[in-house]
Coordinates of all heavy atoms in Angstrom, one line a residue:
C1092 N 11.7 -4.8 -15.4 CA 11.2 -6.1 -14.7 C 12.1 -7.2 -15.1 O 12.5 -8.0 -14.3 CB 9.8 -6.4 -15.1 SG 8.6 -5.3 -14.2
A1093 N 12.5 -7.3 -16.4 CA 13.3 -8.4 -16.9 C 14.7 -8.2 -16.3 O 15.3 -9.2 -15.8 CB 13.4 -8.4 -18.4
A1094 N 15.3 -7.0 -16.3 CA 16.6 -6.8 -15.8 C 16.8 -7.0 -14.3 O 17.9 -7.4 -13.8 CB 17.1 -5.4 -16.2
N1095 N 15.7 -6.7 -13.6 CA 15.8 -6.8 -12.1 C 15.1 -7.9 -11.4 O 15.0 -8.0 -10.2 CB 15.3 -5.4 -11.5 CG 16.2 -4.3 -11.9 OD1 17.3 -4.2 -11.4 ND2 15.7 -3.4 -12.7
T1096 N 14.5 -8.8 -12.2 CA 13.7 -9.9 -11.7 C 12.6 -9.3 -10.8 O 12.5 -9.6 -9.6 CB 14.5 -11.0 -11.0 OG1 15.7 -11.3 -11.8 CG2 13.7 -12.3 -10.8
A1097 N 11.8 -8.5 -11.4 CA 10.7 -7.8 -10.7 C 9.4 -8.0 -11.5 O 9.4 -8.4 -12.6 CB 11.0 -6.3 -10.5
V1098 N 8.3 -7.8 -10.8 CA 7.0 -7.9 -11.5 C 6.1 -6.7 -11.2 O 6.3 -6.0 -10.1 CB 6.3 -9.2 -11.1 CG1 7.0 -10.4 -11.5 CG2 6.0 -9.2 -9.6
C1099 N 5.1 -6.5 -12.0 CA 4.1 -5.5 -11.8 C 2.8 -6.3 -11.7 O 2.5 -7.2 -12.4 CB 4.0 -4.5 -12.9 SG 5.5 -3.4 -12.9
F1100 N 2.0 -5.9 -10.7 CA 0.7 -6.5 -10.5 C -0.4 -5.4 -10.7 O -0.1 -4.2 -10.5 CB 0.5 -6.9 -9.0 CG 1.5 -7.9 -8.5 CD1 2.5 -7.6 -7.7 CD2 1.4 -9.3 -8.9 CE1 3.4 -8.5 -7.2 CE2 2.3 -10.2 -8.4 CZ 3.3 -9.9 -7.6
S1101 N -1.6 -5.8 -11.1 CA -2.7 -4.9 -11.1 C -3.7 -5.4 -10.0 O -4.0 -6.6 -9.8 CB -3.4 -5.0 -12.4 OG -2.7 -4.1 -13.4
A1102 N -4.2 -4.4 -9.3 CA -5.3 -4.6 -8.4 C -6.5 -4.0 -9.1 O -6.4 -2.9 -9.6 CB -5.0 -3.8 -7.1
I1103 N -7.4 -4.8 -9.3 CA -8.6 -4.4 -10.1 C -9.3 -3.2 -9.5 O -9.7 -3.3 -8.4 CB -9.5 -5.6 -10.4 CG1 -8.7 -6.7 -11.1 CG2 -10.7 -5.1 -11.2 CD1 -9.5 -8.0 -11.1
G1104 N -9.4 -2.1 -10.3 CA -10.2 -1.0 -9.8 C -11.6 -1.4 -9.5 O -12.2 -2.3 -10.2
G1105 N -12.3 -0.8 -8.5 CA -13.6 -1.2 -8.3 C -13.8 -2.2 -7.2 O -14.9 -2.5 -6.8
I1106 N -12.7 -2.8 -6.7 CA -12.8 -3.8 -5.6 C -12.2 -3.3 -4.3 O -11.7 -4.0 -3.5 CB -12.3 -5.2 -6.0 CG1 -10.8 -5.1 -6.2 CG2 -13.0 -5.7 -7.2 CD1 -10.1 -6.5 -6.2
S1107 N -12.2 -2.0 -4.2 CA -11.6 -1.3 -3.0 C -12.1 -1.9 -1.7 O -11.3 -2.1 -0.8 CB -11.8 0.2 -3.0 OG -11.2 0.7 -4.2
A1108 N -13.4 -2.2 -1.6 CA -13.9 -2.7 -0.3 C -13.3 -4.1 -0.1 O -13.1 -4.5 1.1 CB -15.4 -2.8 -0.4
T1109 N -13.1 -4.9 -1.1 CA -12.5 -6.2 -1.0 C -11.1 -6.1 -0.5 O -10.6 -6.8 0.4 CB -12.6 -7.0 -2.3 OG1 -14.0 -7.1 -2.6 CG2 -12.0 -8.4 -2.2
L1110 N -10.3 -5.2 -1.1 CA -8.9 -5.0 -0.7 C -8.9 -4.6 0.7 O -8.0 -5.0 1.4 CB -8.3 -3.9 -1.6 CG -8.2 -4.2 -3.1 CD1 -7.5 -3.0 -3.9 CD2 -7.4 -5.5 -3.4
L1111 N -9.8 -3.7 1.2 CA -9.8 -3.3 2.6 C -9.8 -4.5 3.5 O -9.2 -4.5 4.5 CB -11.0 -2.3 2.8 CG -11.2 -1.8 4.2 CD1 -10.0 -1.0 4.7 CD2 -12.5 -1.1 4.3
T1112 N -10.6 -5.5 3.2 CA -10.8 -6.6 4.1 C -9.5 -7.4 4.2 O -9.3 -8.2 5.1 CB -11.9 -7.5 3.7 OG1 -11.6 -8.1 2.4 CG2 -13.2 -6.8 3.6
C1113 N -8.6 -7.3 3.2 CA -7.3 -8.0 3.2 C -6.2 -7.3 4.0 O -5.1 -7.8 4.3 CB -6.8 -8.2 1.8 SG -7.9 -9.1 0.8
I1114 N -6.5 -6.0 4.4 CA -5.5 -5.2 5.2 C -5.7 -5.4 6.7 O -6.8 -5.1 7.2 CB -5.6 -3.7 4.8 CG1 -5.3 -3.6 3.3 CG2 -4.6 -2.9 5.6 CD1 -5.5 -2.2 2.7
K1115 N -4.8 -6.0 7.3 CA -4.9 -6.3 8.8 C -4.3 -5.2 9.7 O -4.7 -5.1 10.8 CB -4.2 -7.7 9.1 CG -4.8 -8.8 8.2 CD -6.3 -8.9 8.2 CE -6.8 -10.0 7.3 NZ -8.3 -10.0 7.3
R1116 N -3.4 -4.5 9.2 CA -2.8 -3.4 10.0 C -2.2 -2.3 9.0 O -1.7 -2.7 8.0 CB -1.7 -3.9 10.9 CG -1.2 -2.9 11.8 CD -0.3 -3.4 12.9 NE 0.5 -4.5 12.5 CZ 1.0 -5.4 13.3 NH1 0.8 -5.4 14.6 NH2 1.7 -6.4 12.8
A1117 N -2.3 -1.1 9.4 CA -1.7 0.0 8.6 C -1.0 1.0 9.5 O -1.6 1.4 10.6 CB -2.8 0.7 7.8
T1118 N 0.2 1.3 9.2 CA 1.0 2.2 10.0 C 1.8 3.2 9.1 O 2.4 2.8 8.1 CB 2.1 1.4 10.8 OG1 1.5 0.4 11.5 CG2 2.8 2.3 11.8
I1119 N 1.7 4.5 9.4 CA 2.5 5.5 8.6 C 3.9 5.3 9.0 O 4.2 5.3 10.2 CB 1.9 6.9 8.9 CG1 0.5 7.1 8.3 CG2 2.9 7.9 8.3 CD1 -0.1 8.4 8.6
V1120 N 4.8 5.2 8.0 CA 6.2 4.9 8.3 C 7.1 6.0 7.7 O 8.3 6.0 8.1 CB 6.7 3.5 7.8 CG1 6.0 2.4 8.7 CG2 6.4 3.4 6.3
A1121 N 6.6 6.9 6.9 CA 7.4 8.0 6.3 C 6.5 9.1 5.8 O 5.4 8.8 5.3 CB 8.3 7.4 5.3
Y1122 N 7.0 10.3 5.8 CA 6.4 11.4 5.2 C 5.0 11.7 5.6 O 4.1 11.9 4.9 CB 6.5 11.3 3.7 CG 7.8 10.9 3.1 CD1 8.0 10.0 2.1 CD2 9.0 11.5 3.6 CE1 9.2 9.7 1.6 CE2 10.2 11.2 3.1 CZ 10.3 10.3 2.1 OH 11.6 10.0 1.6
E1123 N 4.8 11.7 7.0 CA 3.5 11.9 7.5 C 2.9 13.3 7.1 O 1.7 13.4 7.0 CB 3.5 11.9 9.1 CG 2.2 11.9 9.7 CD 2.2 11.6 11.2 OE1 3.3 11.3 11.7 OE2 1.2 11.6 11.8
D1124 N 3.8 14.2 6.8 CA 3.3 15.6 6.3 C 2.6 15.5 5.0 O 1.8 16.4 4.6 CB 4.5 16.5 6.2 CG 5.5 16.1 5.1 OD1 6.1 14.9 5.3 OD2 5.8 16.8 4.2
L1125 N 2.7 14.4 4.2 CA 2.0 14.2 3.0 C 0.5 13.8 3.2 O -0.2 13.6 2.2 CB 2.7 13.2 2.1 CG 4.1 13.7 1.6 CD1 4.7 12.6 0.7 CD2 4.0 15.0 0.8
K1126 N 0.1 13.6 4.4 CA -1.2 13.2 4.8 C -1.7 11.9 4.0 O -1.1 10.9 4.3 CB -2.2 14.4 4.5 CG -1.8 15.6 5.3 CD -2.9 16.6 5.5 CE -2.5 17.8 6.2 NZ -1.5 17.8 7.3
T1127 N -2.7 12.0 3.1 CA -3.1 10.7 2.5 C -2.1 10.1 1.5 O -2.2 9.0 1.1 CB -4.4 11.0 1.7 OG1 -4.2 12.0 0.7 CG2 -5.6 11.4 2.6
E1128 N -1.0 10.9 1.2 CA 0.1 10.3 0.4 C 1.3 9.9 1.2 O 2.3 9.6 0.7 CB 0.5 11.3 -0.7 CG -0.6 11.5 -1.8 CD 0.0 11.9 -3.1 OE1 1.1 11.6 -3.4 OE2 -0.8 12.6 -3.8
A1129 N 1.1 9.9 2.5 CA 2.2 9.4 3.4 C 2.5 7.9 3.1 O 1.6 7.2 2.6 CB 1.8 9.6 4.9
V1130 N 3.7 7.5 3.3 CA 4.0 6.1 3.1 C 3.5 5.3 4.3 O 3.7 5.6 5.4 CB 5.5 5.9 3.0 CG1 5.9 4.4 2.8 CG2 6.1 6.7 1.8
Q1131 N 2.7 4.3 3.9 CA 2.1 3.4 4.9 C 2.6 2.0 4.8 O 2.6 1.5 3.6 CB 0.6 3.4 4.9 CG 0.0 4.8 5.3 CD -1.4 4.7 5.7 OE1 -1.8 3.8 6.5 NE2 -2.2 5.7 5.2
K1132 N 2.9 1.4 5.9 CA 3.3 -0.1 5.9 C 1.9 -0.8 6.1 O 1.3 -0.6 7.1 CB 4.2 -0.3 7.0 CG 4.6 -1.8 7.2 CD 5.6 -1.9 8.4 CE 6.0 -3.3 8.6 NZ 6.9 -3.4 9.8
L1133 N 1.6 -1.7 5.2 CA 0.4 -2.4 5.3 C 0.7 -3.9 5.5 O 1.5 -4.5 4.8 CB -0.5 -2.3 4.0 CG -0.8 -0.9 3.5 CD1 -1.6 -1.0 2.2 CD2 -1.6 -0.1 4.6
E1134 N 0.1 -4.5 6.5 CA 0.1 -5.9 6.7 C -1.1 -6.5 6.1 O -2.2 -6.1 6.4 CB 0.2 -6.3 8.2 CG 1.3 -5.7 9.0 CD 2.7 -6.2 8.5 OE1 2.8 -7.4 8.0 OE2 3.7 -5.5 8.6

């Protein structure tokens, strides 16, 4: 993080329903064969 000017965030476990309301669109963009582990673009 220091070398690359990057950060790590925590999303608090247990607030999944709250996080859901913040997602306006979801699209699979890679590795659809991984099913629930496919890469999704979230707006």
Side-chain angles (χ1 to χ4, degrees):
C1092 284
N1095 292 294
T1096 313
V1098 297
C1099 293
F1100 301 105
S1101 280
I1103 299 167
I1106 65 164
S1107 299
T1109 299
L1110 296 178
L1111 176 64
T1112 65
C1113 299
I1114 300 170
K1115 305 306 177 187
R1116 186 171 32 204
T1118 309
I1119 294 175
V1120 293
Y1122 310 138
E1123 189 169 358
D1124 62 301
L1125 295 177
K1126 303 198 182 327
T1127 60
E1128 288 204 34
V1130 179
Q1131 293 200 45
K1132 178 181 179 180
L1133 305 179
E1134 299 298 330

